[in-house]
């Protein structure tokens, strides 16, 4: 009889093939999205091993913030095809500088919380719709959904700027730490 491999097993085989070719950069797009918990854990363990033994760099493209927190050193947050924030993973989770990043992190359930818990914080939801990518976006790509939006957001695309050491964001209203502001003066 023919044995069919599961999605997780197929992904592990593909990574093993890459290892055999001695790759230095491995790009994984949503690597855990179709996997059960065991296959996901095995894949993440293999990725950690690859990184430490072969010295390969791993570029992860994912919506899974748990995988980001566990695997990433540096994070780039994209919205509507634009980079809106970049930081070391700890800084991004501790002090997100872009409203979209704050919305994403607010939508993640907190460990130990429950629906019945008294005084629990609700998961946040990002209101509005993602802009159409069929036509050019004028101004900030997140303006239609942002709680901080002002007129400048609707007309001028914010540049990605350093807001804290090693932490940049593309937001007109994200404060700049004094240590960074002093460097520009």
């Amino acid at each position: 009889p023919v044995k069919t491999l599961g999605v997780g097993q197929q992904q592990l085989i593909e990574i093993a093939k890459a290892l055999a070719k001695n790759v230095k950069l491995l790009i994984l797009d949503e690597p855990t999205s179709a996997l059960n918990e065991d296959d996901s854990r095995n894949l993440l363990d293999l990725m950690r091993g690859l990184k430490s033994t072969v010295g390969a760099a791993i570029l992860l493209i994912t919506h899974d913030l748990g995988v980001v927190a566990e695997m990433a050193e540096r994070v780039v947050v994209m919205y509507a095809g634009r980079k809106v924030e970049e930081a070391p993973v700890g800084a991004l989770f501790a002090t997100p500088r872009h409203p979209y990043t704050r919305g994403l992190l607010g939508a993640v359930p907190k460990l130990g919380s429950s629906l019945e818990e008294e005084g629990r914080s609700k998961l946040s939801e990002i209101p509005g719709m993602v802009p159409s990518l069929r036509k050019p976006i004028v101004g900030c790509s997140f303006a239609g959904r942002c709680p901080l939006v002002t007129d400048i957001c609707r007309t001028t695309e914010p540049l990605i700027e350093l807001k804290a050491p090693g932490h940049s964001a593309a937001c007109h209203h994200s404060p700049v730490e004094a240590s960074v502001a002093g460097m520009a003066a």
Side-chain angles (χ1 to χ4, degrees):
V2 175
K3 178 165 167 63
T4 305
L5 296 175
V7 173
Q9 293 167 323
Q10 291 172 10
Q11 284 181 301
L12 290 172
I13 288 169
E14 290 303 315
I15 291 174
K17 284 186 203 175
L19 278 171
K21 295 178 183 173
N22 204 19
V23 298
K24 293 299 177 195
L25 173 63
L26 188 60
I27 301 172
L28 300 166
D29 189 357
E30 297 291 354
T32 59
S33 64
L35 303 182
N36 64 38
E37 192 173 331
D38 288 338
D39 286 340
S40 181
R41 175 72 34 220
N42 289 337
L43 180 62
L44 295 178
D45 288 344
L46 178 64
M47 288 166 40
R48 269 190 286 279
L50 170 68
K51 189 174 165 188
S52 66
T53 59
V54 182
I58 300 172
L59 174 64
L60 268 174
I61 302 164
T62 186
H63 289 89
D64 187 332
L65 294 177
V67 170
V68 170
E70 187 173 335
M71 296 298 299
E73 293 175 16
R74 187 154 195 82
V75 181
V76 173
V77 177
M78 305 283 293
Y79 183 78
R82 294 181 182 175
K83 177 171 138 179
V84 296
E85 187 160 1
E86 180 177 356
V89 69
L92 184 104
F93 278 80
T95 313
R97 303 282 174 169
H98 194 278
Y100 175 61
T101 308
R102 286 194 289 275
L104 285 177
L105 293 173
V108 175
K110 305 297 180 266
L111 188 63
S113 68
S114 78
L115 293 175
E116 293 81 32
E117 192 174 301
E118 199 59 35
R120 68 176 172 78
S121 59
K122 285 185 169 183
L123 294 180
S124 67
E125 126 183 3
I126 301 173
M129 301 288 293
V130 176
S132 170
L133 300 179
R134 294 180 186 258
K135 56 184 177 187
I137 297 170
V138 177
C140 176
S141 58
F142 193 61
R145 306 177 77 189
C146 185
L148 305 176
V149 68
T150 61
D151 289 342
I152 192 171
C153 305
R154 292 184 186 96
T155 60
T156 306
E157 180 179 353
L159 300 175
I160 191 90
E161 297 176 319
L162 200 60
K163 304 292 184 172
H167 196 149
S168 57
C171 178
H172 295 296
H173 304 295
S174 178
V176 177
E177 279 188 10
S179 60
V180 172
M183 292 179 352

